[in-house]
Every structure is written in structure tokens, then in C-alpha cells.
Amino acid sequence: TVDTAKVKAALASKAAQKDKEHPPPPPAQVYEPPSSDRRDGATYQVGKMLGKGGFAVCYEGQIPGFRKRYALKIVKSKMPTKMEQKFQTELQIHSKMRQQNIVQFLRAFSYDNCTYLVLELCPNGSLMDMVKRRKGLTEPEVRFYSVQIAGAIKYMHAKGIIHRDLKMGNIFLDKYMNAKIGDFGLAALLVTGRDMQTIRRTTLCGTPNYIAPEILEKGRKGHDHMVDIWSLGIIMFAMLTSKPPFQSSTTDEIYRRARNRDYEWPSPEGTNKYISQEAKEIVADMLQDADKRPDPDSIVKHDFFYSGYMPELNEITSKFRDYPPD
Ligand code: ADP
């Protein structure tokens, strides 16, 4: 027999462990210390909790006297080394992003042994919450969100950034129901762009004899960034069907199925859900080997985006007003 008490105790201690990594609830008011671009500092009134992540907690925040609300993402200043690294990358990369479908990074400061990120507020939860609640989106909605996400991926890749952790739970919804990519904790700088220039510059004054030709090729690109296109394929499948394609009880099984592209579209009889041939095609294109995956520009030119209705933002916003969450 299973010793339920033991299992419960183990689960409780695991939960307690997780809570240790999270900062305690913030005070009702948080003070941003003075800085060169804000000489008087600022005060944030802390509002409701928005959510908890791997090591951060998020609360609403507002500067008294102003209407604008923000998301305050809070992490402990002293973290285990690995998390500290993850967080530093996140800060550096996220703060350089500026695009309409990426959560806008506004400021960062330290207060009371915690680091605060002031972010654009996305008050309508994540794409995952919505897809679960709605049990899948309509094809027009999937067109709308796929174009938004592809645009953000195009922007990141042009800046030499690979996100590496794109998933519905990391895509938040702003007050109009636009998709905004958040959480750059696993993002990485591609070893091209500036690094390439550095290599070229240094080889000019040193000896180029030992440098492999492909490193110096102009416009050279590895296929590493194509991991984000794979993720978009998974996101599109999940938006259409409400489940990711390789869902299994163990990680090994998910990997095995992914390697074999072992997935099935739900049958229209069982689910009463029609999925067009064009939708199936574009998802299959994105789940090919890295060098065959389409880039964001060719994705949005696919027939899927021209074979049916493409909603305007105000339709998406007002539909949500008709069916609010919960
Ligand atoms: P972690 O980096 O620890 O995984 P996340 O960035 O995922 O943390 O944030 C934790 C939770 O906080 C999210 O799941 C979400 O509920 C909420 N959250 C994060 N960023 C925002 C935002 N900009 N607007 C609203 N809620 C947010």
C-alpha cells in the first residue's frame, strides 16, 4: 500500500522548498531609489498578486496620482548562483527589447533585499489560460495570434536573440487582448552580429590563419534560432486543439514522440472541431528539421493566413469583453 502520509509530507516539503526561493509578499508601498533618470525616485502602491513563476512573484503596481498600472516582477537579490545567472541574462536581454508584441521592460531597481522589474501590465492572464478556458481557439483567432507571435520572433532574431522558451504560459495578454511575449529567462544571444564584428576586427590585426571560413562568412547564420519556430509550431497546434501535439505522461516519451513527429490532429467527429488543411500544413512545416523550417516572413505568407478570415484587434478585444474570464 502507498503511505499517503509520507507522500503528503514529501509534497509539502517540496512546496516549502519552492517557497523559499520566492521572495516574501512585498510591503504595501515600494520605494524606487533616486537615479540619474528619476532624481526623486518613485513610490509604487502595490496591488493584487498577478502570479508566481519559477523564482519570481508578480504584483500590480501604481504610482499614486497616476492612472497607469504596471506589473512589478520581484525576485530576491540573493539567489542561488544558477538562478542569479538566469536572472541577469533576463534583465540584460529583456531591457533591450522594444516591440509591440513583447512585454515592455520599463525599469529595474533594488529595494528591501529584492530586485524589482517594472514591466508593462498584461492584466488578462496568459495565452495558456485563455486556450484552456476556451478549449481551443477559432482559426481566425489563431491567425491573429500567430501573426503577432511571428512578428515578435522576427524582431528578436533580427536582434540576434533566441528566446528558447516560447510557450503559451509565457505569452501574456494585454488589456486589448494583444499577445505579449514575456519571461526572457532562457533567452540567449546568438553568436553572430556584434560577436562576428569583434571576430573580424580582431582578426584584422592578428593572423587569420586559424579561423574557419564559415566563421567569417558574412550573413552566416546557424540554425539555432529555429528552435523558436519549432515552438511556434507547437503553440499553433495547441491553440487549434487546446493540447500540445506530443503530450505524454513522461518527458522521455514527449521527446521520443517529438523526434518521430508522432502527433495526430483530433478527428472532426470526436471533437466537432474542423481544422483546415492549410493550418495542418503550416504546423507541419514548422515541425520539420531546423534547416527546413520557414522563417517568420515566409510563415505569415503561407496560404493559411489567406484562406480564411483575419480579425482586426477591436473584434478580438470586444469578443473578450462579451465573454470575460471566469
Ligand atoms: P518566472 O521568470 O519566475 O517564471 P514569470 O515571468 O513567468 O516568472 O512570472 C510569473 C507570473 O507572473 C506569470 O505566470 C504571470 O502570471 C505573472 N506575470 C508575469 N509578467 C507579467 C506581466 N507583465 N503582466 C501581468 N502578469 C505577469
Side-chain angles (χ1 to χ4, degrees):
T1 58
V2 183
D3 188 342
T4 46
K6 247 188 190 163
V7 173
K8 271 187 192 160
L11 285 174
S13 97
K14 212 174 163 187
Q17 191 62 39
K18 209 178 171 211
D19 266 345
K20 243 195 257 167
E21 323 284 17
H22 284 109
Q29 289 206 325
V30 166
Y31 302 101
E32 178 183 338
S35 57
S36 56
D37 62 337
R38 201 175 249 180
R39 282 166 178 281
D40 297 328
T43 302
Y44 295 85
Q45 203 84 47
V46 177
K48 70 167 184 191
M49 181 165 102
L50 294 161
K52 268 188 182 186
F55 57 94
V57 291
C58 266
Y59 283 80
E60 266 190 32
Q62 195 169 11
I63 299 177
F66 294 87
R67 281 187 56 174
K68 200 163 182 65
R69 294 179 300 155
Y70 306 97
L72 298 175
K73 181 165 170 171
I74 315 167
V75 298
K76 277 187 188 168
S77 293
K78 286 216 165 41
M79 289 187 282
T81 332
K82 234 185 158 170
M83 283 199 251
E84 182 65 41
Q85 258 169 18
K86 178 182 180 283
F87 186 62
Q88 286 303 326
T89 329
E90 169 169 1
L91 236 157
Q92 281 186 0
I93 292 182
H94 197 170
S95 61
K96 293 191 180 80
M97 303 279 104
R98 191 174 187 90
Q99 203 267 351
Q100 60 268 32
N101 297 109
I102 295 177
V103 170
Q104 188 53 48
F105 182 102
L106 296 157
R107 333 183 49 84
F109 61 87
S110 289
Y111 173 68
D112 199 15
N113 290 320
C114 290
T115 301
Y116 286 77
L117 304 190
V118 184
L119 304 171
E120 170 185 14
L121 175 65
C122 292
N124 289 317
S126 74
L127 197 54
M128 185 175 68
D129 306 328
M130 179 170 63
V131 166
K132 274 196 178 155
R133 200 165 57 229
R134 297 265 312 276
K135 298 189 173 64
L137 306 183
T138 65
E139 285 204 14
E141 290 166 334
V142 173
R143 281 189 197 97
F144 178 85
Y145 285 117
S146 304
V147 167
Q148 290 202 332
I149 301 164
I153 294 177
K154 178 179 172 171
Y155 173 88
M156 293 189 285
H157 289 180
K159 289 227 156 202
I161 301 297
I162 323 175
H163 188 284
R164 300 199 297 189
D165 195 23
L166 285 178
K167 51 186 181 192
M168 295 200 297
N170 274 345
I171 300 176
F172 303 121
L173 297 162
D174 76 0
K175 65 173 169 180
Y176 304 110
M177 295 302 281
N178 283 304
K180 304 260 174 171
I181 295 179
D183 205 348
F184 281 78
L186 290 183
L189 259 170
L190 271 166
V191 188
T192 54
R194 216 181 59 148
D195 290 1
M196 286 280 292
Q197 268 173 18
T198 316
I199 291 170
R200 284 202 202 97
R201 208 177 316 124
T202 44
T203 49
L204 271 180
C205 42
T207 165
N209 286 315
Y210 300 83
I211 307 285
E214 71 266 24
I215 294 185
L216 297 173
E217 250 160 54
K218 228 183 174 158
R220 166 188 172 267
K221 246 189 184 172
H223 295 295
D224 295 356
H225 60 297
M226 286 301 184
V227 298
D228 291 337
I229 304 296
W230 172 280
S231 305
L232 178 55
I234 306 286
I235 291 170
M236 283 185 72
F237 184 101
M239 288 195 288
L240 290 160
T241 68
S242 84
K243 282 190 201 68
F246 308 120
Q247 183 82 291
S248 312
S249 52
T250 67
T251 320
D252 282 347
E253 180 65 5
I254 294 174
Y255 291 154
R256 190 197 62 74
R257 292 188 58 191
R259 267 198 312 278
N260 298 329
R261 314 299 198 267
D262 173 12
Y263 68 93
E264 266 171 43
W265 292 97
S267 72
E269 298 85 52
T271 53
N272 206 5
K273 201 169 166 63
Y274 169 79
I275 294 165
S276 69
Q277 208 48 47
E278 288 87 354
K280 294 178 185 174
E281 247 173 49
I282 182 76
V283 169
D285 282 354
M286 287 187 255
L287 299 184
Q288 297 180 89
D289 288 342
D291 57 334
K292 299 208 183 67
R293 285 172 213 156
D295 63 13
D297 278 337
S298 13
I299 290 170
V300 299
K301 282 187 198 137
H302 190 274
D303 278 351
F304 172 63
F305 295 96
Y306 297 94
S307 59
Y309 189 61
M310 172 68 86
E312 302 278 345
L313 173 63
N314 61 38
E315 297 169 66
I316 299 275
T317 313
S318 57
K319 192 164 172 189
F320 181 74
R321 279 207 200 96
D322 294 340
Y323 309 99
D326 313 322

